[in-house]
Amino acid sequence: RSVTGVQTCALRSDFSQPTNDCFSLSDNCFETLQIIDSKGYTVRCFNSNKDGYYYIGDLPSGLYFVKQIFKNSIIYHKLVIN
């Protein structure tokens, strides 16, 4: 089964690896990027940018979710901040 009209983005960093200051995406074809804490609150919101780096160094350590919002879909990634 094929899907048409859906964009995909390749990750430059592995979200399974803990980070402490920033993470990056190789393609910024999404519209909005949200960082969601373990309680379900959106704690950071980014628009796509050219360099693909997103600073999160001021967030407390813990488990977060990265929500990539595309025109036709939403993708979630787990993110651990040390």
Side-chain angles (χ1 to χ4, degrees):
R1 179 173 114 172
S2 65
V3 178
T4 58
V6 176
Q7 296 177 320
T8 60
C9 285
L11 298 177
R12 188 179 328 170
S13 64
D14 182 357
F15 279 99
S16 66
Q17 299 300 316
T19 186
N20 58 10
D21 61 352
C22 69
F23 65 92
S24 61
L25 300 169
S26 61
D27 292 324
N28 288 307
C29 57
F30 58 86
E31 295 177 0
T32 306
L33 185 75
Q34 295 177 353
I35 308 299
I36 302 168
D37 69 11
S38 61
K39 295 178 183 177
Y41 294 105
T42 299
V43 295
R44 188 66 42 84
C45 193
F46 299 100
N47 291 321
S48 176
N49 66 45
K50 290 182 182 184
D51 67 3
Y53 286 91
Y54 301 92
Y55 179 74
I56 52 171
D58 57 337
L59 294 177
S61 298
L63 174 65
Y64 294 84
F65 297 93
V66 177
K67 179 179 180 181
Q68 285 180 286
I69 302 172
F70 299 89
K71 184 176 180 179
N72 297 317
S73 64
I74 296 173
I75 298 174
Y76 289 88
H77 307 276
K78 184 173 70 170
L79 176 68
V80 176
I81 299 177
N82 285 338

